[in-house]
Amino acid sequence: MLEKIELLGDERVGQGGNLIIRRLRMRMLLSDGTRTREGSWDFVERPMGLDAVVVALWRRKPALEVLLRSGLRVPLQYGRSESRPLLFTELVAGILEPGDDLRQRAADEALEEAGLQVSASNVRLLGPPMFPTPGMCAELFHFASCEVSPDAFSVAPRGDGSPFEEGARLEWISLDEAFARIARGELQDLKTEVALRRLRETLGF
């Protein structure tokens, strides 16, 4: 049984605009007193903010609808060999920067990515956070939801200033249709499925 990690080296082996690749050299101390051979583990850090909030925006019109956002995800275009659609569909989400209030960040992302002004006091958390890729990054996803009035005033989403935010598409669809798209493999975002399942359970649908 694993008892302890013995850290032998810690270095930064790569850095981009937003991400750092960190390499640890280590060996494991086992409960019987033996040590494993040395190994290394590379993982990604994001200095601007490690965690993210995922926001399920929903309304009753008259059936329950959720807002999906389709935008560019560059790793899916260049990180896999098979051809994929240019736009990737998911819920509104954003990085939690140091000092951010979770509910306020969720409300800010609703305005930034969907053009919808919602109150942070109306944001509800959807259960505990989860680690989506623990082998590659220590990021946590925090899940939240907020009801939007069917006649809520909306503006053109301003985005975060990145060119990769331009050309995104917003779509309200029924919750049932969202799950149908998941079943057909048309909606492939893990955090979106988790958030929608938690939303359905919370609302009793």
Side-chain angles (χ1 to χ4, degrees), residues 53-57 66-71 73 88-94 113 126 130 132 141-145 171 173-175 177-183 186-200:
V53 61
V54 183
V55 192
L57 298 166
V66 293
L67 183 66
L68 298 179
R69 182 180 185 277
S70 299
R73 286 291 179 254
F88 183 72
T89 304
E90 58 194 328
L91 292 176
V92 165
E113 293 196 349
L126 294 173
M130 299 184 74
F141 281 165
H142 298 263
F143 299 94
S145 70
E171 180 184 18
I173 66 170
S174 72
L175 186 59
E177 173 58 22
F179 281 110
R181 292 187 187 183
I182 290 171
E186 298 170 6
L187 181 52
Q188 294 183 293
D189 183 54
L190 179 63
K191 67 182 182 294
T192 294
E193 180 172 351
V194 171
L196 292 182
R197 290 191 183 281
R198 290 187 178 187
L199 178 67
R200 183 170 63 180

Side-chain angles (χ1 to χ4, degrees), residues 3 30 34 61 64-65 74 90 95 102 113 130 151 191:
E3 288 287 335
L30 305 181
T34 61
K61 196 177 180 180
L64 192 148
E65 295 181 333
V74 172
E90 58 194 328
I95 295 171
L102 181 59
E113 293 196 349
M130 299 184 74
D151 57 355
K191 67 182 182 294

Side-chain angles (χ1 to χ4, degrees), residues 143-188:
F143 299 94
S145 70
C146 188
E147 182 175 8
V148 178
S149 170
D151 57 355
F153 177 74
S154 62
V155 297
R158 67 174 187 268
D160 63 2
S162 164
F164 307 112
E165 294 266 299
E166 297 180 20
R169 180 171 56 87
L170 298 168
E171 180 184 18
W172 285 99
I173 66 170
S174 72
L175 186 59
D176 287 343
E177 173 58 22
F179 281 110
R181 292 187 187 183
I182 290 171
R184 295 193 299 263
E186 298 170 6
L187 181 52
Q188 294 183 293

